[in-house]
């Protein structure tokens, strides 16, 4: 339909999830989706039929995931614990939504929602990576997730196909930093990994378990640490793909292709 989901500042200085829809002559009309009672909301994904998922602050300051059907108010999604935070990141056309939610100890868990029921699948990942963040899902419910240790000193990416989990660091031959941001219907995963001291953007092709195809651009780890390139600045901050600063996350925690 050509609809675009994003965020806009209101006259009062708040930031609200917004859908822009094309009208006569190609001009776009902005629709303010409002909030769940707080001062901000963010849209993270929109489907062709206009369904949107995102997150919003509530009146009591919690961060809560929501879905929007294309009309009416935002509909909050269940949390893992009473009063806990969560946020929705991606969805497929079957209504399967992925995102993240916090437990009572404020650890972030990768979760999914189906017909309003929340499922915590963070136990699939290594116990030394207690913070898990779902970043994307495709039509076959293959889920891309990144995970962090207690000190957030590194990132490791995983692909879940049902109960089968592929460590994308191992699949690319990396022993270091690995980040994954999106997945398409073929199961190709876009992200980046550290190989021989070089951070490279590229694709994982799951039909070949150890295949990682590098993008042309690559920079040294030293340059990544210095934040001198746009690619490394993005790869070193996977939380941006979730539409929320990592500090805020920690505070609020809030027939397959062949």
């Amino acid at each position: 339909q050509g609809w675009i989901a994003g965020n806009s500042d209101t006259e009062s200085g708040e930031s609200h999830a917004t859908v822009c829809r094309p009208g006569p002559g190609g001009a776009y009309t902005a629709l303010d989706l409002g909030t769940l009672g707080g001062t901000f909301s963010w849209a993270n994904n929109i489907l062709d039929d206009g369904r949107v998922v995102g997150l919003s602050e509530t009146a009591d300051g919690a961060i809560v995931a929501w879905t929007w059907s294309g009309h009416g108010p935002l509909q909050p999604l269940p949390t893992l614990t009473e009063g806990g935070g969560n946020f929705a990141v991606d969805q497929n056309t079957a209504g399967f939504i992925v995102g993240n939610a916090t437990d009572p100890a404020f650890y972030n868990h990768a979760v999914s929602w189906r017909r309003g029921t929340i499922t915590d699948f963070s136990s699939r990942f290594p116990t030394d990576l207690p913070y898990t963040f779902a970043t994307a899902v495709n039509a076959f419910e293959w889920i891309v997730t990144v995970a962090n240790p207690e000190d957030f000193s590194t990132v490791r990416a995983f692909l879940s196909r049902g109960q089968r989990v592929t460590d994308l660091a191992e699949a690319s031959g990396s022993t270091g930093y690995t980040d994954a941001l999106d997945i398409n219907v073929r199961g190709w995963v876009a992200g980046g990994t550290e190989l021989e001291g070089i951070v490279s953007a590229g694709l994982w092709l799951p039909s070949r378990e150890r295949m990682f195809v590098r993008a042309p651009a690559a920079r040294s780890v030293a340059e990544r640490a210095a934040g001198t390139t746009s690619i490394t600045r993005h790869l070193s901050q996977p939380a941006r793909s979730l539409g929320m600063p990592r500090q805020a996350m920690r505070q609020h925690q809030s027939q397959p292709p062949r």
Side-chain angles (χ1 to χ4, degrees), residues 98-135:
V98 298
N100 308 283
T102 54
D103 65 18
F106 295 98
Y107 284 93
N108 200 84
H109 295 235
V111 299
S112 64
W113 292 270
R114 188 195 305 276
R115 301 184 187 92
T117 299
I118 189 170
T119 299
D120 180 354
F121 60 91
S122 60
S123 61
R124 299 177 187 175
F125 309 109
T127 56
D128 63 340
L129 300 170
Y131 292 93
T132 57
F133 303 86
T135 61

Side-chain angles (χ1 to χ4, degrees), residues 124-149:
R124 299 177 187 175
F125 309 109
T127 56
D128 63 340
L129 300 170
Y131 292 93
T132 57
F133 303 86
T135 61
V137 65
N138 72 3
F140 301 105
E141 298 181 9
W142 294 10
I143 305 171
V144 175
T145 305
V146 296
N148 304 89

Side-chain angles (χ1 to χ4, degrees), residues 166-167 169-174 204-213:
T166 299
D167 184 330
E170 293 180 358
S172 60
S174 173
W204 285 270
L205 309 178
S207 60
R208 303 178 182 182
E209 287 290 342
R210 299 191 63 81
M211 178 62 74
F212 178 77
V213 180

Side-chain angles (χ1 to χ4, degrees), residues 77-98:
L77 291 168
T79 60
L80 285 178
T81 58
E82 184 69 27
N86 62 6
F87 48 101
V89 176
D90 200 11
Q91 61 183 326
N92 64 22
T93 56
F96 186 77
I97 301 169
V98 298

Side-chain angles (χ1 to χ4, degrees), residues 5-256:
N7 303 82
S8 298
D9 291 338
T10 67
E11 291 183 356
S12 63
E14 297 182 353
S15 180
H16 289 189
T18 305
V19 169
C20 295
R21 300 180 289 191
Y28 275 78
T29 300
L31 176 63
D32 183 348
L33 301 189
T35 74
L36 293 173
T39 61
F40 68 86
S41 60
W42 296 338
N44 285 330
N45 177 268
I46 185 169
L47 298 178
D48 288 343
D49 63 9
R51 284 177 287 170
V52 183
V53 296
L55 61 95
S56 174
E57 183 185 44
T58 65
D60 60 6
I63 304 300
V64 174
W66 51 260
T67 180
W68 185 68
S69 65
H71 55 83
L74 304 180
Q75 298 298 319
L77 291 168
T79 60
L80 285 178
T81 58
E82 184 69 27
N86 62 6
F87 48 101
V89 176
D90 200 11
Q91 61 183 326
N92 64 22
T93 56
F96 186 77
I97 301 169
V98 298
N100 308 283
T102 54
D103 65 18
F106 295 98
Y107 284 93
N108 200 84
H109 295 235
V111 299
S112 64
W113 292 270
R114 188 195 305 276
R115 301 184 187 92
T117 299
I118 189 170
T119 299
D120 180 354
F121 60 91
S122 60
S123 61
R124 299 177 187 175
F125 309 109
T127 56
D128 63 340
L129 300 170
Y131 292 93
T132 57
F133 303 86
T135 61
V137 65
N138 72 3
F140 301 105
E141 298 181 9
W142 294 10
I143 305 171
V144 175
T145 305
V146 296
N148 304 89
E150 288 275 2
D151 61 1
F152 281 78
S153 59
T154 191
V155 182
R156 279 175 61 189
F158 300 87
L159 172 63
S160 300
R161 291 169 278 184
Q163 294 300 313
R164 180 183 178 187
V165 176
T166 299
D167 184 330
L168 295 180
E170 293 180 358
S172 60
S174 173
T175 58
Y177 168 96
T178 306
D179 187 15
L181 302 174
D182 207 356
I183 183 170
N184 70 7
V185 70
R186 293 186 177 185
W188 296 8
V189 178
T193 193
E194 183 178 314
L195 296 170
E196 300 176 349
I198 301 295
V199 176
S200 299
L203 295 170
W204 285 270
L205 309 178
S207 60
R208 303 178 182 182
E209 287 290 342
R210 299 191 63 81
M211 178 62 74
F212 178 77
V213 180
R214 296 191 190 191
R219 295 293 185 269
S220 70
V221 174
E223 288 176 308
R224 171 165 61 88
T228 56
T229 65
S230 60
I231 183 173
T232 55
R233 281 198 297 271
H234 184 68
L235 291 178
S236 65
Q237 298 185 50
R240 288 184 181 178
S241 70
L242 309 184
M244 191 175 191
R246 170 156 290 148
Q247 296 86 342
M249 286 182 181
R250 299 191 68 178
Q251 290 169 6
H252 291 291
Q253 311 312 105
S254 118
Q255 191 73 359

